[in-house]
Amino acid sequence: MSETPWLTIIGLDEDGLKGLGPASRTALEAAEIVMAPPRHLTLVGDLPCETRRWPVPFADGIDILLGLRGKRVVVLASGDPFWFGAGATLARHLEPEEWFSFPGPSSFSLAANRMGWSLERTVCLGLHAAPLTHLRPHLAPDVTIIALLRDGEAVRELGAYLSDAGFGASALTVLEALGGPRERKTHLRADAVRAERFQHPLCIAVEIEGHGDALPLASGRPDNWFETDGQITKQPVRAMTLSALAPRPFEHLWDIGGGSGSIGIEWLLTHPTLEATSFEPNPERAARIAANAARLGVDRLNVVAGAAPNALAGQNEPQVVFIGGGLTGELLHWLEDKLAKGTRLVANAVTLETEALVLEAQHRLGGTLIRLDVSRSEPLGPKRGWKASYPIVQWSVSL
């Protein structure tokens, strides 16, 4: 293969050719084929080479592009192709020596400069291809957010979503066609978005204000954040369990016996690179887990409606396993036999039978045992007293 990349990815902004640097212009002039969405082709005007429109959906264009190997090809993308753009998707299908990228300013950078915001302290979200619920973990007074939106209708949907969450007082700045002659800035309140038309491409700057509930950052969120039929790892025990699971970037958790999904969801809220699979034999609970995850803005939770260990076969291998209920000797032996050495396991035992199983396993495999006793104050006649919950024996081990 030639040392010269056959593909160049160029980040294009609303000012078209005027905003391109010398290297981008040289690559464009040398191209035999330019492939881009219709809007990008309009921005660059007539070109001396062949042009092809990128199809919708985006994935349909990848095989077409790969079929052009051997020619000098330019793909036009928006702004910085590797920030909520097409760059990373294309790079997964190519060898490193096949491509080169010339980024332009991202919409986030342009918006932050228009707003006078410190970009490193601003939440940046790509909501043009993701649900608005991705906002939920970030909704708290004084938080600033810059989000890409798909179209003008999404502005109205965003206003309604923020209002329903108790943050209707949030200030919205709609930024259209940033960096070009059509650029426009519109100031609105979330609870006062009208039927005004907004042009693509657009992003929105949000200053969160209001009295809605903010999702705490620490593990052990209040139980009322989760819809449940009573099958849930309660808040204090959940906080201790997440501490024992000790999430690290890019790890995958198996949550066996998902219940309401609280453990898997809180695991995912810890860091955006984490993934989780929740195994729940009860179909209604499995559906509730998926609904809880969607409502709290996490979409990296795979819910499997099935019982362990049979449901575990063929799933992406974890680095960490949590068993919140249903621990059996059969399940434990399956995990010992099938999982990679060093996989971390945390199991919470409530019944005497599972406690006995955990004690035997700890004697055989080692690890740490702790006993969690939680009591809450409750009315006792005209006064108050302590009501104890069932004690939890928690076992943590590396298999």
Side-chain angles (χ1 to χ4, degrees):
M1 183 175 291
S2 170
E3 293 182 1
T4 302
W6 63 271
L7 174 64
T8 302
I9 306 168
I10 295 177
L12 187 71
D13 285 299
E14 284 294 302
D15 53 358
L17 293 174
K18 295 179 182 178
L20 296 181
S24 296
R25 287 176 172 272
T26 298
L28 199 56
E29 291 166 0
E32 298 175 85
I33 299 174
V34 172
M35 191 169 174
R39 182 175 66 84
H40 295 70
L41 292 175
T42 300
L43 288 172
V44 296
D46 293 333
L47 295 172
C49 63
E50 178 186 351
T51 61
R52 297 192 185 185
R53 292 188 173 192
W54 196 284
V56 176
F58 180 83
D60 290 351
I62 294 176
D63 285 340
I64 298 173
L65 175 66
L66 298 180
L68 300 177
R69 278 191 176 100
K71 298 182 179 296
R72 295 188 302 276
V73 181
V74 165
V75 167
L76 299 178
S78 294
D80 185 343
F82 285 86
W83 199 355
F84 293 105
T89 301
L90 297 180
R92 286 196 293 269
H93 296 271
L94 298 162
E95 297 299 325
E97 64 272 11
E98 291 188 90
W99 61 274
F100 198 83
S101 177
F102 296 112
S106 71
S107 294
F108 300 110
S109 295
L110 293 171
N113 278 270
R114 299 298 186 271
M115 299 301 297
W117 291 355
S118 173
L119 193 56
E120 69 270 16
R121 294 175 61 85
T122 300
V123 177
C124 297
L125 299 172
L127 301 181
H128 54 305
L132 293 177
T133 52
H134 280 203
L135 287 163
R136 181 62 263 192
H138 308 290
L139 297 185
D142 299 323
V143 170
T144 54
I145 299 171
I146 297 173
L148 307 181
L149 295 180
R150 69 176 188 278
D151 53 28
E153 178 61 29
V155 177
R156 290 183 282 277
E157 294 171 2
L158 174 62
Y161 179 79
L162 292 172
S163 298
D164 291 344
F167 296 99
S170 298
L172 310 182
T173 302
V174 183
L175 300 158
E176 302 170 70
L178 280 170
R182 298 186 299 121
E183 181 175 321
R184 186 171 71 135
K185 181 191 295 187
T186 305
H187 299 288
L188 303 163
R189 247 179 75 121
D191 56 7
V193 177
R194 302 291 181 249
E196 186 174 356
R197 296 179 64 86
F198 297 105
Q199 300 181 70
H200 180 78
L202 62 85
C203 67
I204 192 160
V206 186
E207 299 170 82
I208 300 296
E209 296 295 340
H211 302 287
D213 292 330
L215 187 63
L217 295 176
S219 297
R221 277 81 174 180
D223 295 343
N224 59 13
W225 282 97
F226 304 94
E227 295 291 336
T228 178
D229 60 2
Q231 191 72 17
I232 184 173
T233 302
K234 297 295 175 57
Q235 179 184 6
V237 175
R238 193 180 332 119
M240 293 291 291
T241 299
L242 264 294
S243 178
L245 291 170
R248 303 169 188 169
F250 296 99
E251 288 189 324
H252 182 192
L253 170 74
W254 277 2
D255 179 9
I256 300 176
S260 65
S262 61
I263 292 292
I265 291 169
E266 290 222 33
W267 165 276
L268 294 173
L269 287 169
T270 304
H271 198 268
T273 65
L274 295 173
E275 297 182 345
T277 301
S278 182
F279 300 91
E280 173 51 57
N282 184 311
E284 290 185 6
R285 287 177 180 163
R288 190 177 293 114
I289 291 170
N292 279 334
R295 184 167 47 82
L296 293 177
V298 294
D299 60 1
R300 303 176 313 282
L301 179 63
N302 176 36
V303 182
V304 177
N310 292 339
L312 308 179
Q315 300 296 328
N316 290 338
E317 191 164 296
Q319 288 74 49
V320 188
V321 176
F322 171 64
I323 305 174
L327 178 63
T328 64
E330 178 191 9
L331 172 57
L332 185 55
H333 287 304
W334 191 97
L335 295 172
E336 291 180 62
D337 182 57
K338 302 294 186 181
L339 296 185
K341 182 177 176 59
T343 301
R344 306 196 305 280
L345 170 67
V346 176
N348 287 352
V350 181
T351 67
L352 292 175
E353 288 78 8
T354 52
E355 183 176 329
L357 180 60
V358 161
L359 290 172
E360 185 278 327
Q362 193 270 343
H363 178 74
R364 181 166 51 85
L365 298 173
T368 301
L369 281 175
I370 62 173
R371 179 182 165 106
L372 306 175
D373 290 284
V374 178
S375 297
R376 297 179 183 273
S377 65
E378 293 194 0
L380 185 61
K383 300 183 180 181
R384 300 181 67 81
W386 293 107
K387 182 176 180 180
S389 301
Y390 287 113
I392 304 289
V393 173
Q394 186 176 89
W395 175 45
S396 303
V397 68
S398 291
L399 297 176

